[in-house]
């Protein structure tokens, strides 16, 4: 193990972050009749009173542009059986991401079927920081499947809890 006074951007910072286990979500919205979405692991509860959620998307994200237009976004917390969807929504062509993926629509927002939990949020605020945009959302609707185990990412590998 090596130590440094400053953690360099890029590979060293990413290596550091692999030690932080995180859930895997797919952030979605409707862009007209077309569903769009991307994989995100930076999602937190910002506040309980009032209930507020924060997600982080890359500034170049096509999903970000669609969320800005619709002012709504969905969060599907992937379950342990949905690891294949993580890669599809992270790197696949936007037009192919929803192909043959079961989804249902709530408040005009597509949500992935079979997720451990799902929520639809009203976009309330955003903050650009570095190469990402922090989106603040207020929940409008949610559902939780208490029988599902969430998908967890740790040290660049998927893990299941339990």
């Amino acid at each position: 193990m090596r130590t440094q006074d400053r953690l360099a951007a890029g590979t060293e910072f990413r290596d550091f972050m692999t030690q932080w286990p995180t859930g895997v979500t797919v952030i979605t919205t409707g862009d007209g009749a077309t569903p769009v979405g991307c994989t995100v692991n930076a999602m937190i509860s910002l506040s309980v009173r009032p209930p507020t959620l924060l997600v982080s998307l890359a500034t170049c994200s096509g999903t970000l542009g669609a969320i800005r237009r619709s002012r709504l976004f969905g969060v599907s917390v992937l379950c342990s059986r949905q690891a294949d969807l993580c890669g599809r929504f992270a790197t696949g062509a936007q037009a192919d991401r929803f192909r043959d993926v079961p989804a249902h629509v709530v408040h005009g927002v597509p949500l992935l079927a079979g997720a451990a939990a799902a929520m639809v949020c009203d976009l309330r605020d955003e903050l650009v920081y570095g190469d990402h945009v922090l989106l603040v959302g207020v929940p409008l609707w949610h559902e939780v499947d208490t029988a599902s185990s969430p998908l967890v990412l740790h040290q660049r590998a998927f893990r299941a809890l339990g």
Side-chain angles (χ1 to χ4, degrees):
M1 179 167 65
R2 70 176 197 234
T3 60
Q4 294 180 328
D5 291 336
R6 281 186 64 135
L7 187 62
T11 304
E12 290 175 338
F13 183 69
R14 288 182 179 159
D15 288 346
F16 172 83
M17 291 307 299
T18 66
Q19 295 303 314
W20 179 251
T22 183
V24 182
T25 65
V26 172
I27 306 302
T28 56
T29 196
D31 196 13
T34 306
V36 296
C38 63
T39 301
V40 169
N41 64 3
M43 186 270 302
I44 63 168
S45 164
L46 184 59
S47 171
V48 174
R49 289 195 179 107
T52 312
L53 189 77
L54 184 137
V55 297
S56 177
L57 276 71
T59 55
C60 62
S61 168
T63 302
L64 175 61
I67 290 170
R68 285 174 166 160
R69 288 187 292 278
S70 73
R71 307 300 297 169
L72 296 170
F73 65 91
V75 179
S76 296
V77 177
L78 298 186
C79 77
S80 58
R81 300 176 312 276
Q82 294 177 308
D84 60 317
L85 295 179
C86 177
R88 175 188 280 223
F89 280 86
T91 61
Q94 193 66 257
D96 296 334
R97 292 180 184 182
F98 279 90
R99 183 170 297 155
D100 300 323
V101 175
H104 59 283
V105 177
V106 177
H107 292 288
V109 176
L111 298 165
L112 304 184
M119 180 176 283
V120 174
C121 293
D122 179 39
L123 177 62
R124 290 294 172 92
D125 202 2
E126 61 181 85
L127 171 67
V128 178
Y129 195 85
D131 61 357
H132 277 68
V133 177
L134 306 177
L135 301 178
V136 177
V138 173
L140 301 174
W141 175 92
H142 79 279
E143 69 180 358
V144 175
D145 179 358
T146 57
S148 287
S149 179
L151 183 64
V152 176
L153 184 62
H154 180 244
Q155 294 181 332
R156 296 184 176 93
F158 296 116
R159 317 274 186 202
L161 297 180

